[in-house]
Amino acid sequence: MTDRAKPLALVTGVGPGTGAAVVRRFAEAGYRVAMLARDAARLAALEQEIADTIAVPCDVSDPAALERAVADMGFPKVVVHNAVGGAFGTFMNIAPETLRKNFDINTMALFHLARLTSPAMVEAGEGALIVTGNTSAQRGKAAFAGFAPTKAAQRILAESLARDLGPKGVHVAYLVIDAAIDVPWQRELQPDKPDDFFISPTSIAAEVFHLAHQPRDAWSFLAEIRPFHEPW
């Protein structure tokens, strides 16, 4: 059972890396946290591990499922859209359906989340919507043709939301993560890299939490984080 007196945070894309770290950071700070992802078994395990969390199995690319998930838990004070659809390949190698699916996860899910959750935030006069992105939102490399267009659209949508919702008291921010995240599959891809080559999910979660709690007289929209030696 969760303490319904606590403020609610909703986090999409709760996997073993960034998503789980964000959940832990908000739970430690006194939130109850609704965790959205497709892997029901992983969410159930996290629900047992982290107090005041709610497992909500959901495919965020399905608007009806997303609407049911939000309706079942009540309206959050903070939303973190961390779910991501990715693919590597040139425009000739990537199936059109892959690009469309990634657009549904990265961009349309943000669109629907904002429509479902921001009205209550506006009514309350406070709230935050934080989106995790990466450098694909800012540049289109050849092998990212099935991914970068959707992240760029996501960033522009977030900016539109920020300009609309900011004057109404709701903070929208977009966090560009310019780094390889320290998760097992990244380590396997780059086994010779030192520890400080990677960015830790815990550090990402700390910045997400910071953005969600900036003072009203100093809001960021576009924020970037990277390891100290990352070329950029």
Side-chain angles (χ1 to χ4, degrees):
M1 297 292 291
T2 61
D3 183 352
R4 295 190 67 86
K6 293 184 175 183
L8 176 66
L10 182 157
V11 183
T12 71
V14 178
T18 301
V22 170
V23 169
R24 288 190 180 91
R25 182 65 186 88
F26 276 85
E28 289 168 359
Y31 283 80
R32 56 191 180 99
V33 187
M35 307 179 293
L36 275 63
R38 289 175 296 178
D39 191 329
R42 178 190 296 140
L43 293 182
L46 282 172
E47 188 178 47
Q48 292 298 312
E49 176 189 343
I50 307 171
D52 284 315
T53 58
I54 311 159
V56 187
C58 176
D59 181 349
V60 299
S61 69
D62 180 345
L66 196 55
E67 184 172 3
R68 288 193 300 270
V70 172
D72 287 345
M73 73 187 71
F75 292 105
K77 182 177 181 180
V78 177
V79 173
V80 180
H81 185 40
N82 179 66
V84 60
F88 298 99
T90 67
F91 77 100
M92 290 297 290
N93 301 131
I94 292 293
E97 294 75 18
T98 299
L99 179 61
R100 186 176 297 110
K101 179 68 172 180
N102 290 341
F103 189 79
D104 286 340
I105 296 169
N106 298 332
T107 308
M108 290 307 299
L110 173 60
F111 179 84
H112 292 302
L113 273 171
R115 287 170 63 93
L116 291 167
T117 62
S118 66
M121 294 181 186
V122 170
E123 185 176 353
E126 63 175 351
L129 173 55
I130 312 299
V131 186
T132 57
N134 51 45
T135 48
S136 292
Q138 299 174 313
R139 64 191 184 205
K141 290 189 173 182
F144 284 62
F147 175 57
T150 72
K151 296 299 285 186
Q154 182 190 65
R155 177 177 60 83
I156 293 300
L157 173 57
E159 184 173 340
S160 296
L161 296 174
R163 292 176 183 273
D164 186 332
L165 295 172
K168 301 170 185 174
V170 180
H171 182 197
V172 181
Y174 194 85
L175 179 60
V176 174
I177 304 164
D178 183 16
I181 300 174
D182 193 358
V183 291
W185 68 268
Q186 282 281 15
R187 291 277 186 166
E188 290 170 8
L189 285 175
Q190 304 176 87
D192 298 328
K193 296 294 186 182
D195 289 347
D196 64 6
F197 171 81
F198 301 93
I199 189 170
S200 75
T202 300
S203 295
I204 297 171
E207 184 59 20
V208 169
F209 187 85
H210 166 247
L211 288 170
H213 295 87
Q214 286 181 317
R216 291 166 70 94
D217 65 339
W219 278 353
S220 301
F221 168 66
L222 187 63
E224 300 181 45
I225 51 175
R226 58 180 60 86
F228 69 96
H229 53 67
E230 181 77 16
W232 60 287

